[in-house]
Each structure stands twice: as structure tokens, then as C-alpha cells.
Amino acid sequence: MSTNIKVEKLQEGLKTRLVGKYIFFAHEVGSTNDWARELAELGAPEGTVAIAETQTAGRGRLDRKWISPKGGLWFSIILRPKLKPQETVKLVFLAGLAVAETIRELYGLKTETKWPNDVLIGGRKVCGILSEMKTVGEKVDYAIVGVGVNANLDVEKDFPKELRETATSIQKALGRKVALEELFKALLEKMDNLYQVSLKEGLTPILLKWKGFASFLGCKVEVSSDGERLKGIASDVDNVGALVLRLKDGSVKHIFVGEVSMQCSKLKPNNHQTSV
Ligand code: BT5
């Protein structure tokens, strides 16, 4: 199995209504999110995807560096949802759910979602999502959903030391490489399906399904948010996508932006059903 992406196979047999109707491929770009934003500004239609074999300036939230060597899937989707901005921010859960379900279905691996934008295998990050949007007044002009999946990466060789304990790859979990084009198409198909649901019903049913993969719910966690560190039980993710943290004194905090580290020695079984 090669780490090269076969461009001619990226669209072959793709069964989607919207996502991936136009696919832009590059061997190397700075960030596919930036590329997709440029395409969106030029008027690229909804569903356009920008994918690159490597990124030289892959980004996480708060401009953190995202390691993106050859062998991973680094792509961004342009969406123009007729949803309110508050609803559109929850697209991050749609992408997380799509990745968690697809990896489980294709390879039988147990996946977990972690608030707000991670997918984990064995407690380690296999995927990160960066969702950004441009609004005009109360309307969403476009949203860019950037997905990074550590597919055929060698954790020891491809990651710097400080990430080797926290990051993983499908290759590591499965013990073999996977076909990147097959994984890419399955992800687009899943996202396409979920997106159709969200346009009709909003993101709430998607968030509920996402919670079915969220093993951190009910666990003791430590959250760093706005320079503050808080300990508590991650009791829920509310309807706007905020983490609901129950503190020791019984009070409840809704956290909109932050970083969760888990202290659950024993994670809840992942039963893939909605937890609320
Ligand atoms: C994320 O940010 O997890 C969002 C990552 C989104 C990447 C995609 S790739 C396609 C598109 N184009 C882009 O430029 N971005 C998107 P955050 O939650 O802030 O996590 C970032 C942190 O994850 C870093 O500070 C590292 O600690 C860690 N990290 C970096 N690269 C990683 C990797 N490949 N796998 C696992 N962890 C990584």
C-alpha cells in the first residue's frame, strides 16, 4: 500500500450528492484550510474539496502547528449552509462523527470522540478537525471544515518526540497501511449524508450521535480554558456545543473553548449509541 495519493482514484465511484463534486489536489500546500478559503472567496461551489499530500503550515486551533507528512489525509471542505452561525459552529461534531464512524466501519477499530474536535483510538489522537467560517451579518457565507487523519503514518518516525505518547495513526492501530483514496471517499460519503441530515434537522441529531462515541462523558477531566484550569466531571455537551463541567462544589460551568485532559482510568464502554 502506497503513501502516495492516486489522484485519478479520488473521485472514482464517489457516491455523494454534494461533497466532492469538485476536488482540488496538490502534492504540497501550506494549509488546505487556507487554500479552501481562497477557493471559497473565488466563488467555489458548496462541496468543493481541497486535498494535499503534505502541508507545510498545517494548522490546529489557535494557530497551533498540525504535523502533516505524506501518508496522512489532509483535506478541507467548503460548505455554504443555510444555517445560523451558532448552528454552523457545530459542523465540527459532524466531521468528528463522520471520521469516528468511518474508521470503525472500514477497519473495525474502536474510535472515540473527544470534545471539541478530536477523534481518538486507544485514547490517542488520530484525527483533528479545524472548522472555520465567514459570516456576513447573521448569515454564513461559507464554512471550511478541515480534517486531518493520521492514516499511514509511522508514529515513531513521523511525529516529534512530544507527540509520540499522545498521537496515533490508523497504520499503528491496524498494523498495516490502508488505501488512502478509499478512506477519503468513505469520509466524503459519510459527511455528505450527515450534512443532508443537518440541513433538514439541524445539527442536534448529529451531536447526539457524536455523544455516543464520546467516552469522556461521565469522566473526571481537567480543562484548560482562557488561562484557567478547572477540574470536574464532564457531564455533557450542551445544545450549543459547549462542554458541561460539573465542579466539586456541585456548580456547573459551560465551557465554549478549551482543552480537555482525561483522568478516567477506566473509560466508559464505547457502545456507539447516543448517551443522552
Ligand atoms: C486540531 O487542532 O486538532 C485541528 C487539526 C486540523 C488539521 C486539518 S488538516 C487539513 C486542514 N488544514 C489545516 O491546516 N488544518 C486542517 P488542536 O485541537 O488545536 O490540536 C493541535 C495539537 O495537536 C498540536 O498542538 C499538537 O499538540 C497536536 N498535533 C499536531 N499534529 C498532530 C497530528 N498529526 N496528530 C495528532 N496530534 C497532532
Side-chain angles (χ1 to χ4, degrees):
M1 204 74 63
S2 163
T3 50
N4 295 329
I5 291 176
K6 294 180 198 74
V7 193
E8 68 283 3
K9 288 204 161 176
L10 288 178
Q11 237 171 359
E12 197 180 82
L14 181 69
K15 294 184 235 52
T16 56
R17 266 186 263 182
L18 191 74
V19 178
K21 289 289 170 211
Y22 300 92
I23 298 177
F24 290 79
F25 170 83
H27 288 289
E28 186 178 288
V29 289
S31 152
T32 57
N33 263 39
D34 295 342
W35 189 19
R37 196 195 317 121
E38 285 164 25
L39 294 168
E41 290 287 345
L42 290 170
E46 180 170 57
T48 300
V49 180
I51 173 169
E53 223 160 29
T54 56
Q55 300 183 113
T56 52
R59 291 187 288 115
R61 292 173 300 150
L62 308 169
D63 265 337
R64 286 187 280 229
K65 191 176 157 69
W66 182 259
I67 307 285
S68 328
K70 209 166 165 176
L73 269 185
W74 325 119
F75 65 94
S76 304
I77 304 175
I78 299 170
L79 296 172
R80 299 182 183 275
K82 290 192 178 47
L83 297 169
K84 294 194 176 113
Q86 309 89 279
E87 197 64 8
T88 303
V89 291
K90 291 186 272 175
L91 284 172
V92 68
F93 301 111
L94 184 151
L97 173 63
V99 173
E101 279 190 349
T102 303
I103 294 178
R104 187 190 70 189
E105 286 167 13
L106 283 183
Y107 314 118
L109 292 169
K110 185 176 159 185
T111 46
E112 296 158 28
T113 50
K114 183 180 159 211
W115 185 86
N117 63 324
D118 295 351
V119 179
L120 313 179
I121 296 177
R124 294 171 185 216
K125 186 156 169 166
V126 70
C127 164
I129 292 144
L130 181 64
S131 180
E132 300 174 302
M133 69 173 142
K134 182 183 171 193
T135 53
V136 179
E138 257 304 280
K139 285 198 172 145
V140 175
D141 183 4
Y142 57 80
I144 307 291
V145 182
V147 181
V149 184
N150 302 331
N152 295 334
L153 298 192
D154 181 328
V155 173
E156 294 304 314
K157 281 200 207 128
D158 288 320
F159 289 114
K161 234 190 194 145
E162 66 272 15
L163 289 186
R164 285 180 205 151
E165 295 299 312
T166 56
T168 192
S169 67
I170 296 175
Q171 174 178 324
K172 172 151 187 180
L174 208 56
R176 65 171 171 88
K177 291 192 195 302
V178 299
L180 290 174
E181 305 81 7
E182 180 194 38
L183 173 58
F184 174 69
K185 282 185 276 194
L187 286 170
L188 295 195
E189 285 170 8
K190 185 70 86 180
M191 288 177 80
D192 191 70
N193 274 328
L194 293 174
Y195 187 57
Q196 302 300 332
V197 172
S198 74
L199 292 179
K200 283 196 213 113
E201 302 170 36
L203 269 302
T204 302
I206 309 262
L207 180 57
L208 284 177
K209 280 185 114 184
W210 179 93
K211 287 186 207 177
F213 282 83
S215 308
F216 70 95
L217 287 175
C219 285
K220 268 192 189 167
V221 295
E222 191 169 319
V223 185
S224 36
S225 169
D226 256 346
E228 225 189 339
R229 288 182 89 78
L230 294 164
K231 281 187 184 177
I233 307 280
S235 59
D236 200 1
V237 173
D238 70 14
N239 235 355
V240 298
L243 176 70
V244 184
L245 190 68
R246 190 151 37 83
L247 305 178
K248 229 181 180 172
D249 64 6
S251 64
V252 163
K253 269 209 163 207
H254 292 247
I255 294 162
F256 296 91
V257 183
E259 217 60 61
V260 172
S261 40
M262 296 196 238
Q263 296 168 331
C264 257
S265 48
K266 186 173 170 288
L267 293 173
K268 278 195 321 184
N270 186 351
N271 57 10
H272 307 303
Q273 281 161 14
T274 52
S275 63
V276 289

